[in-house]
Amino acid sequence: MQEEIRGVTRWRRSAFLALPATVAIGAMATAMVQGALAANLSLTSVPFTLSSKTVAAPQGIGAVMHTVDAGGPKGAAEVGLAKAGLDGICVHAVQSVNLPVIGNLGTWSLNISSPAAATPLTSDQLVAGAGLQANKLVLDAQALKASTATLHAADGSPNVIGAAADSEGIKSTGITDGTPGQFGLDATGGRTDIKNLNADANAATISGAITLPDLAIGIAHGDKGC
């Protein structure tokens, strides 16, 4: 609330200083319409980062090798979670804005965030419905890191490294375009717990519903994260 009030004050104090920001926001909105900065987060020409403090996937995780068009074909890991509870999320994309006549307005950031809980949520709480809830979350990631990741399994449903990319287990995570016979990870035999997830991604899709407590969407001048 205080940040919004300060922003209004600056705009009233100097229309000249506000003009570049206004034009840049308009340019990014135009880019969304044209598909260069898609509203569904499929930013194929604009890599972005996605981070979360804690992720709990009660039905496990799947992954396959994939190719994305990010300024040219690039290899990526397609990672799917059939259901996921997240303690906070930050999506941070950076794009240069260059307009005819006006010229280069520099680098601008688009941030989409839902903050983590004041008291960190446990994996059990996330599975029970606390925090941010997403269904069929699929990431095309150049890199995906975590401080710790636990992939649970059972004797009757073990995790399989080298599973067929089109296996039923992998398909259940939301990955439906795995190439038959190619390499995949099927860790859907039990819950997956991830701490401090950080993904360098080119696309994120959610086929089902998503709940975002305290959602915030903002544009900032420069490379500034959530």
Side-chain angles (χ1 to χ4, degrees):
M1 183 65 71
Q2 292 178 348
E3 291 181 359
E4 293 177 0
I5 293 173
R6 289 197 298 269
V8 171
T9 301
R10 287 195 297 269
W11 275 48
R12 288 175 177 171
R13 183 169 49 206
S14 175
F16 177 77
L17 291 177
L19 179 60
T22 304
V23 173
I25 291 171
M28 294 193 73
T30 300
M32 285 186 179
V33 173
Q34 294 175 345
L37 189 60
N40 67 355
L41 304 187
S42 295
L43 314 180
T44 53
S45 61
V46 184
F48 62 96
T49 60
L50 183 150
S51 57
S52 181
K53 191 171 185 178
T54 304
V55 181
Q59 298 171 32
I61 189 172
V64 301
M65 291 188 290
H66 191 55
T67 301
V68 298
D69 182 9
K74 292 184 179 180
E78 190 173 15
V79 181
L81 304 169
K83 185 174 177 60
L86 302 93
D87 188 8
I89 190 172
C90 170
V91 176
H92 172 59
V94 180
Q95 185 167 349
S96 177
V97 178
N98 195 349
L99 300 179
V101 182
I102 295 175
N104 192 335
L105 294 179
T107 298
W108 290 80
S109 298
L110 171 64
N111 294 315
I112 304 171
S113 64
S114 179
T119 301
L121 298 173
T122 66
S123 294
D124 289 339
Q125 289 175 312
L126 293 170
V127 169
L132 184 160
Q133 296 292 316
N135 296 300
K136 302 293 184 182
L137 171 61
V138 179
L139 289 172
D140 282 338
Q142 299 290 326
L144 191 151
K145 300 178 182 179
S147 59
T148 60
T150 304
L151 284 61
H152 298 278
D155 291 339
S157 53
N159 295 328
V160 180
I161 299 174
D166 62 334
S167 68
E168 290 305 313
I170 290 176
K171 286 182 179 179
S172 72
T173 68
I175 299 173
T176 59
D177 56 355
T179 303
Q182 285 199 353
F183 183 94
L185 167 67
D186 183 352
T188 59
R191 189 173 85 188
T192 293
D193 296 327
I194 301 173
K195 294 290 187 183
N196 298 316
L197 171 68
N198 193 293
D200 295 326
N202 290 97
T205 59
I206 300 170
S207 301
I210 182 170
T211 302
L212 291 160
D214 299 319
L215 171 66
I217 300 175
I219 294 177
H221 188 214
D223 186 353
K224 299 177 182 177
C226 302

